């Protein structure tokens, strides 16, 4: 290699400039490590496999959406952003939030998260008010019951009592 002159003249030590980003080693626990631990704890505690699988599906979707790596990377904003991105019913968002909160609480109980910032995150859903039975619905039901047996007679009395009580409280 020929000697460079002027602005191209460099010392050999200076030529070792790296363009690669150095991996920053962090002390925190990674989310996959934490999940493996809490799922093992849940299995030992007797949680159903279906529950664990449901938590795993939801938390992994949350982690992938936010591109999270460490437990300490999880924030209230990341939860809100994930929930805001879902194109599902409010009830489904509530179920997802409850699952995330359950997993984060287990992270907290293991000492990996200091504050329970997720406890203030809520989703409001409108509760549907079910319409009461109409008198002709009650009549049809009672017609189907065999009132010649003790059980049929008892059930008829119970239905009529509940219907009359609901009617009295309603008016």
């Amino acid at each position: 290699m020929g000697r460079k002159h002027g602005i191209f003249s460099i010392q050999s030590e200076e030529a070792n400039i790296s363009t690669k980003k150095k991996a920053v080693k962090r002390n925190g626990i990674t989310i996959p490590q934490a999940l493996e631990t809490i799922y093992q704890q849940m299995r030992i505690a007797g949680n159903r496999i279906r529950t664990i699988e449901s938590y795993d599906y939801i938390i992994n979707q949350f982690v992938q959406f936010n591109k999270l790596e460490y437990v300490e990377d999880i924030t209230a904003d990341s939860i809100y952003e994930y929930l805001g991105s879902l194109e599902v019913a409010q009830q489904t968002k509530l179920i997802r939030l409850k699952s995330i909160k359950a997993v984060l609480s287990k992270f907290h109980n293991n000492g990996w998260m200091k504050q329970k910032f997720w406890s203030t995150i809520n989703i409001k859903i409108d509760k549907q008010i079910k319409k009461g039975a109409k008198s002709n619905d009650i009549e049809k039901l009672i017609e189907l019951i065999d009132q010649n047996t003790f059980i049929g007679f008892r059930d008829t009395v119970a239905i009529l009592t509940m219907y009359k009580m609901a009617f009295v409280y309603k008016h």
Side-chain angles (χ1 to χ4, degrees):
M1 184 159 107
R3 181 165 163 86
K4 304 278 185 182
H5 297 285
I7 60 170
F8 300 107
S9 173
I10 56 172
Q11 299 282 330
S12 63
E13 302 97 43
E14 295 174 24
N16 293 331
I17 299 172
S18 175
T19 58
K20 293 182 183 176
K21 290 183 181 178
K22 291 185 179 180
V24 177
K25 183 123 176 148
R26 294 168 69 176
N27 294 329
I29 186 167
T30 65
I31 294 171
Q33 290 171 326
L35 290 174
E36 185 178 328
T37 301
I38 66 163
Y39 294 156
Q40 180 65 20
Q41 292 169 347
M42 290 173 72
R43 281 189 287 276
I44 292 168
N47 288 83
R48 295 178 334 155
I49 295 299
R50 179 67 182 102
T51 302
I52 297 169
E53 288 173 350
S54 178
Y55 284 175
D56 189 54
Y57 172 78
I58 293 167
I59 201 73
N60 280 319
Q61 190 180 53
F62 164 70
V63 167
Q64 288 173 0
F65 174 81
N66 285 293
K67 297 175 178 65
L68 302 170
E69 190 175 346
Y70 289 87
V71 170
E72 65 195 31
D73 296 338
I74 300 170
T75 63
D77 287 341
S78 64
I79 296 171
Y80 281 118
E81 286 176 26
Y82 167 70
L83 294 172
S85 75
L86 298 175
E87 294 180 9
V88 295
Q90 287 294 95
Q91 182 66 39
T92 304
K93 287 183 184 182
L94 181 61
I95 292 167
R96 303 272 172 97
L97 176 60
K98 284 182 177 182
S99 296
I100 292 169
K101 284 182 170 186
V103 170
L104 294 182
S105 292
K106 291 181 185 317
F107 287 178
H108 175 76
N109 294 343
N110 280 293
W112 302 320
M113 299 191 94
K114 293 180 179 115
Q115 295 180 334
K116 287 187 161 188
F117 59 83
W118 57 89
S119 62
T120 59
I121 300 173
N122 294 306
I123 292 180
K124 301 228 184 236
I125 56 170
D126 294 329
K127 294 186 179 180
Q128 293 179 346
I129 299 172
K130 295 181 181 177
K131 293 181 181 178
K134 297 176 189 158
S135 61
N136 63 343
D137 294 333
I138 299 298
E139 290 170 11
K140 287 178 187 175
L141 177 63
I142 291 173
E143 287 174 10
L144 297 172
I145 299 174
D146 181 4
Q147 297 177 27
N148 294 323
T149 65
F150 171 75
I151 293 172
F153 181 73
R154 178 201 64 191
D155 290 350
T156 301
V157 170
I159 291 168
L160 288 172
T161 302
M162 288 187 287
Y163 181 71
K164 295 294 182 191
M165 293 300 287
F167 184 79
V168 169
Y169 285 119
K170 190 172 160 183
H171 292 91

